[in-house]
């Protein structure tokens, strides 16, 4: 059985006080309704991970960093290494979010190194892939997503790939309010899983969670999560509102 995961990517939002209030409210709502449908992961800014970790202790909620360095240690001012994330007991890290690819020039090669760093230090990478609008319109989205997955993940061993989570996030659906239809999501997830199966075998591919991201909301989550190859969601904007986020978790 693949793990169902709903991860809330807060991006660069919230003060510490606001982050703490949001966490408290998410915890209260999940507990009040005894929701245990999926692994709930909060991807907070680096700065708050330690505080929020203490706050969620014992609740079952997990945390993720939103990024990590491709380097092990050293003179990289402002960077955070995978070892540092692991050292504070945070188990997940997002790698290759489209905003990192677009604004920070993260290439396939850099992302492969980040995935290696994450896995070498015992973190589970949530590896993001997805096509921009012009590629979807040109009809070459499956080739592009295949190349993202192949170039940054297919050097991994069969053991390592099974410790990886993939998030398919069409760039045209991120923060735009435009969601992929459940058919579009299912089709791409099935394509990704088929590539994983071709490289690592069907049993391994069946064990890898593939999340959908791109304007997931309480009112479209149920339909998206009902797709056989959609194993949960990576949620941006809607994860900043406690009730909305908890409704998405419930839908999983
Ligand atoms: C994201 O940034 O990963 C994301 C899916 O954002 P949103 O839900 O706001 O589209």
């Amino acid at each position: 059985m693949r793990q169902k995961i709903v991860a809330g990517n807060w991006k660069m939002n919230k003060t510490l006080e606001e982050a703490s209030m949001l966490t408290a409210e998410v915890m209260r709502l999940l507990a009040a309704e005894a929701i245990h449908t999926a692994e709930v992961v909060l991807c907070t800014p680096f700065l708050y991970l330690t505080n929020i970790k203490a706050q969620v202790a014992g609740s079952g909620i997990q945390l993720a960093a939103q990024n990590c360095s491709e380097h092990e240690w050293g003179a990289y001012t402002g960077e955070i290494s995978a070892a540092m994330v692991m050292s504070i007991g945070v188990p997940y890290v997002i790698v290759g979010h489209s905003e990192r690819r677009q604004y920070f020039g993260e290439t396939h090669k850099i992302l492969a190194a980040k995935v290696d760093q994450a896995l070498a230090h015992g973190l589970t990478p949530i590896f993001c892939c997805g096509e921009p609008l012009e590629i979807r319109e040109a009809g070459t989205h499956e080739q592009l997503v295949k190349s993202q997955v192949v170039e940054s993940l297919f050097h991994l061993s069969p053991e390592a790939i099974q410790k990886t989570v993939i998030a398919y996030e069409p760039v045209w659906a991120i923060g735009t309010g435009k969601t992929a239809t459940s058919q579009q999501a299912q089709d791409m997830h099935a394509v990704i899983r088929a590539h994983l199966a071709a490289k690592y075998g069907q049993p391994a591919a069946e064990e890898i969670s593939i999340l959908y991201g791109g304007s997931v909301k309480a009112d479209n989550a149920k339909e998206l999560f009902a797709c056989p190859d959609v194993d949960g969601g990576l949620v941006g904007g809607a994860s900043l509102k406690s009730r909305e986020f908890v409704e998405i978790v419930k839908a999983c």
Side-chain angles (χ1 to χ4, degrees):
M1 270 285 277
R2 291 192 289 274
Q3 170 116 61
K4 300 266 182 197
I5 300 170
V6 177
N9 177 12
W10 295 358
K11 310 191 185 188
M12 197 178 73
N13 289 297
K14 306 275 178 199
T15 63
L16 177 57
E17 191 184 354
E18 289 164 350
S20 185
M21 278 162 49
L22 173 59
T23 304
E25 200 47 23
V26 168
M27 285 169 68
R28 188 184 71 73
L29 292 170
L30 289 174
E33 301 186 35
I35 301 165
H36 305 289
T37 46
E39 170 120 302
V40 176
V41 181
L42 302 180
C43 315
T44 83
F46 283 126
L47 202 55
Y48 308 154
L49 284 169
T50 307
N51 302 65
I52 306 290
K53 183 170 167 58
Q55 196 178 347
V56 300
S59 70
I61 293 175
Q62 300 292 345
L63 297 187
Q66 296 174 15
N67 179 33
C68 69
S69 174
E70 67 271 35
H71 303 291
E72 177 94 35
W73 297 107
Y76 299 102
T77 301
E79 287 292 274
I80 304 281
S81 72
M84 292 172 183
V85 175
M86 180 42 94
S87 75
I88 58 165
V90 165
Y92 289 94
V93 59
I94 299 175
V95 174
H97 190 281
S98 64
E99 289 151 14
R100 303 280 329 163
R101 293 176 188 263
Q102 191 180 346
Y103 306 136
F104 301 95
E106 295 192 353
T107 60
H108 297 322
K109 195 164 167 230
I110 291 172
L111 297 177
K114 290 188 181 212
V115 167
D116 288 345
Q117 282 298 318
L119 289 165
H121 292 283
L123 298 174
T124 299
I126 302 175
F127 175 79
C128 301
C129 55
E131 79 286 356
L133 185 60
E134 62 275 16
I135 297 288
R136 168 66 63 167
E137 286 175 347
T140 52
H141 44 290
E142 291 186 2
Q143 289 98 300
L144 181 90
V145 169
K146 179 183 178 190
S147 71
Q148 292 173 330
V149 170
V150 168
E151 298 292 326
S152 299
L153 296 182
F154 275 19
H155 64 289
L156 295 176
S157 68
E159 295 71 37
I161 193 82
Q162 291 196 64
K163 294 182 185 140
T164 302
V165 171
I166 295 175
Y168 168 59
E169 300 204 298
V171 179
W172 47 271
I174 295 179
T176 58
K178 248 194 228 170
T179 320
T181 63
S182 51
Q183 193 60 56
Q184 287 172 320
Q186 170 55 30
D187 288 350
M188 186 62 92
H189 284 226
V191 164
I192 295 169
R193 204 177 302 286
H195 291 309
L196 291 167
K199 168 83 177 163
Y200 294 102
Q202 194 66 37
E206 290 298 334
E207 291 301 312
I208 297 169
S209 298
I210 307 178
L211 315 183
Y212 169 78
S215 298
V216 177
K217 303 269 184 303
D219 61 6
N220 59 26
K222 221 182 177 92
E223 198 184 328
L224 286 161
F225 296 162
C227 299
D229 285 291
V230 176
D231 305 311
L234 180 53
V235 183
S239 72
L240 297 171
K241 297 177 214 132
S242 53
R243 170 49 74 189
E244 180 89 9
F245 183 63
V246 167
E247 289 301 319
I248 292 169
V249 177
K250 250 162 107 175
C252 192

